């Protein structure tokens, strides 16, 4: 695009909004701003004349004061120093300015204006303001861009992402730990205009959200497979619960539309969907015991959520050209394997039923092994339900393996806690048994750190400092002595009876 850049700059010079100086070309900010149809620093008016911001924006392109007519002027073309990259131009060997390449490449594709321009919020001034100025000078218009979307920065564990801080991470590195959908969710759960902190906690929140919604989708698919979808049997009269659930869906549609119109508020959209999923789950659990879940209603909810996720790019699709082969398109994995899984689940249900009737524990254990060990390795989760067909869910194998390990870890933790409590109870019982064998006269004599003298019965009379025991404390010790005397006598009596 260097030839196009040179032509672009030459036209701006012809319009007298730029000038050549010592082999470089600078944009005349004062000439542009004084024109009736133009205005400089539209995005950040208060930055007009901020020499520090201008210097940071120009970087190596900053010129010596003698080269520029005014301090606010910025480089469109910069004369190259020896050893620097360079291209030929009417003004000598040089290279494009920082802002000009954006205007030229966008113009080559989009023409004299664009609807939406994005970028980081730190680029408002001087980069985007200068881009606006040079483009509007070139086209002699005042609308190079209709809308700017300035996004917040990305930080890593609270720090700005930077190679110098060694906390730089690429998208490809992130995708080795998380899926593209999970990364997308992390962004969508956050306002695009605010700083986003990438951390383990951020990704765990995204994964938790994904799991919540995916479990809902899998539940809806189960009812779509196991309940009639056509004919008279597919119709069920709506009760108060269905009317309320449908109203929740319509309210969510209104709220989501309003959120998207309000500065593309994806965070509110996803929170609204989370609430809709929660309401749907409550409805399903209330109705499933009586088999009265309305198939079409929950399908409508799931279909709407899927539509929004598709808009957000969360539903992966293969790019295709032309008509799909086979007329109706190739079937997905779920469509292909579900008939076989349904047959397997029905067979297992019948086996379990018969095994319960004859109390065949070994057969029931094998059925559990199929559910807990074999099928999870294939990415299949079975959920046994009372008075309902087994729920079949296709889930990521790694997630099922993780669930299984967590379940085993929890069971092991409970087992160890149970053993610890059992050992503690045994130790306590042994201590109580040992306590019974101590004659009351010996009960306090070993506590020399508390008492120094005792009477004939073994009761303390003086404390460790040699002072007489207070009457109130003696009274308490007397009660302990009497209780031990009873325990000891009961123990001796039991020993006599055994003999």
């Amino acid at each position: 695009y260097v030839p196009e850049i040179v032509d672009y700059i030459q036209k701006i010079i012809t319009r007298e909004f730029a000038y050549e100086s010592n082999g470089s070309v600078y944009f005349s900010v004062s000439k542009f701003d004084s024109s009736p149809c133009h205005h400089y620093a539209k995005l950040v008016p208060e930055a007009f004349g901020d020499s520090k911001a201008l210097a940071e924006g120009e970087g190596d392109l900053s010129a010596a004061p003698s080269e520029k007519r005014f301090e606010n002027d910025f480089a469109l073309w910069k004369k190259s120093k020896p050893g620097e990259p360079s291209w030929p131009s009417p003004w000598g060997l040089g290279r494009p300015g920082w802002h000009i390449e954006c205007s030229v490449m966008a113009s080559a594709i989009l023409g004299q204006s664009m609807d939406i321009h994005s970028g980081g919020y730190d680029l408002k001034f001087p980069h985007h303001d200068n881009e606006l100025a040079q483009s509007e000078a070139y086209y002699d218009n005042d609308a190079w861009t209709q809308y700017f979307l300035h996004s917040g920065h990305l930080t890593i564990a609270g720090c700005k992402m930077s190679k110098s801080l060694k906390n730089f991470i690429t998208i490809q590195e992130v995708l080795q730990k998380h899926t593209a959908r999970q990364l997308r969710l992390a962004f969508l759960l956050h306002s695009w205009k605010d700083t986003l902190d990438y951390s383990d906690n951020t990704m765990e929140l995204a994964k938790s959200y994904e799991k919540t919604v995916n479990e809902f989708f899998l539940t809806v698919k189960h009812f779509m497979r196991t309940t009639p979808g056509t004919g008279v049997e597919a119709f069920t009269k709506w009760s108060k619960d269905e009317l309320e659930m449908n109203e929740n869906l319509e309210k969510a549609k209104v709220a989501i539309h309003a959120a998207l119109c309000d500065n593309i508020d994806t965070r509110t959209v996803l929170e609204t969907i989370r609430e809709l999923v929660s309401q749907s789950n409550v409805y399903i659990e209330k109705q499933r015991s009586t088999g009265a879940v309305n198939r079409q209603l929950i399908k409508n909810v799931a279909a709407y959520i899927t539509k929004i996720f598709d808009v957000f790019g969360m539903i992966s699709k293969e790019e295709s050209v032309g008509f799909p082969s086979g007329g109706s398109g190739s079937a997905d994995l779920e469509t292909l394997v579900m008939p076989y899984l349904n047959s397997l689940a029905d067979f297992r249900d019948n086996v379990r039923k018969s095994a319960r009737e004859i109390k065949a524990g070994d057969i029931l254990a094998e059925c559990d092994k199929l559910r807990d060990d074999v099928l999870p390795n294939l990415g299949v989760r079975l959920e046994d339900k009372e008075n309902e067909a087994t729920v079949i869910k296709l889930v990521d194998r790694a997630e099922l393996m993780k669930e299984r390990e967590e379940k085993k870890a929890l069971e092991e933790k409970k087992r160890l806690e149970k053993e610890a409590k059992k050992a503690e109870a045994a130790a306590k019982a042994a201590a109580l048994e040992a306590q019974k064998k101590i004659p009351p006269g010996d009960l306090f004599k070993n506590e020399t750190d508390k008492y120094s003298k005792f009477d004939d019965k073994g009761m303390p009379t003086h404390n460790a400092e040699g002072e007489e025991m207070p009457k109130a404390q003696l009274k308490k010790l007397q009660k302990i002595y009497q209780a031990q005397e009873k325990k000891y006598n009961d123990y001796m009596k039991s020993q006599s009876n055994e003999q």
Side-chain angles (χ1 to χ4, degrees), residues 136-399:
E136 292 173 5
Y138 177 86
Y139 286 110
D140 195 24
N141 66 22
D142 62 350
W144 163 244
T145 296
Q146 303 298 330
Y147 299 97
F148 272 97
L149 297 181
H150 289 108
S151 60
H153 279 163
L154 177 67
T155 60
I156 307 293
C159 299
K160 183 178 178 181
M161 188 166 69
S162 169
K163 287 185 178 180
S164 62
L165 296 175
K166 297 182 179 180
N167 68 340
F168 187 86
I169 184 169
T170 67
I171 290 178
Q172 292 304 319
E173 289 171 334
V174 172
L175 293 179
Q176 292 176 8
K177 295 177 60 179
H178 310 288
T179 66
R181 182 184 299 123
Q182 289 163 356
L183 183 58
R184 226 174 247 274
L185 274 170
F187 294 141
L188 291 167
L189 284 166
H190 192 84
S191 175
W192 61 268
K193 61 184 177 60
D194 297 331
T195 298
L196 169 63
D197 184 55
Y198 173 82
S199 64
D200 290 340
N201 183 56
T202 301
M203 295 311 301
E204 283 303 315
L205 291 174
K207 289 162 71 174
S208 174
Y209 185 97
E210 179 190 43
K211 184 174 182 180
T212 297
V213 180
N214 190 46
E215 286 297 322
F216 169 66
F217 285 149
L218 293 172
T219 299
V220 172
K221 289 179 180 179
H222 163 70
F223 282 103
M224 290 175 64
R225 288 193 302 267
T226 58
T227 56
T230 59
V232 177
E233 292 181 342
F235 174 78
T236 54
K237 184 179 179 180
W238 280 21
S239 67
K240 179 183 177 182
D241 293 326
E242 279 73 38
L243 292 170
E244 182 180 336
M245 187 61 239
N246 190 62
E247 185 180 356
N248 290 335
L249 172 58
E250 295 306 315
K251 286 181 178 178
K253 290 180 179 180
V254 172
I256 287 171
H257 180 77
L260 290 174
C261 291
D262 183 15
N263 209 13
I264 317 175
D265 186 0
T266 59
R267 178 167 54 187
T268 296
V269 171
L270 292 192
E271 289 304 323
T272 302
I273 288 176
R274 192 204 300 269
E275 178 63 22
L276 181 61
V277 167
S278 177
Q279 293 166 340
S280 300
N281 287 335
V282 170
Y283 165 77
I284 291 171
E285 290 307 312
K286 183 178 180 181
Q287 303 297 328
R288 77 187 309 163
S289 60
T290 59
V293 175
N294 190 289
R295 179 186 191 274
Q296 188 59 48
L297 178 56
I298 61 173
K299 179 184 176 183
N300 290 346
V301 174
Y304 175 71
I305 295 173
T306 302
K307 176 184 175 183
I308 297 300
F309 285 171
D310 188 33
V311 170
F312 287 166
M314 290 166 55
I315 310 296
S316 59
K317 296 179 180 178
E318 294 291 335
E319 291 188 9
S320 60
V321 177
F323 299 122
S325 59
S328 60
S330 58
D332 60 18
L333 176 64
E334 186 170 350
T335 303
L336 290 172
V337 304
M338 199 53 69
Y340 303 99
L341 292 176
N342 275 326
S343 298
L344 175 63
D346 290 342
F347 176 75
R348 177 176 170 274
D349 285 346
N350 292 331
V351 170
R352 290 178 74 235
K353 182 179 178 182
S354 299
R356 283 177 174 175
E357 290 175 355
I358 63 175
K359 298 181 180 179
D362 291 345
I363 296 177
L364 288 171
E366 285 298 319
C367 290
D368 289 345
K369 182 179 178 182
L370 177 67
R371 178 195 63 202
D372 298 334
D373 298 328
V374 178
L375 290 179
N377 268 305
L378 302 174
V380 179
R381 182 199 292 151
L382 294 186
E383 296 177 358
D384 294 322
K385 303 288 184 181
E386 291 295 331
N387 304 318
E388 185 184 321
T390 298
V391 178
I392 306 170
K393 296 180 178 180
L394 294 183
V395 185
D396 182 66
R397 179 182 177 276
E399 182 180 335

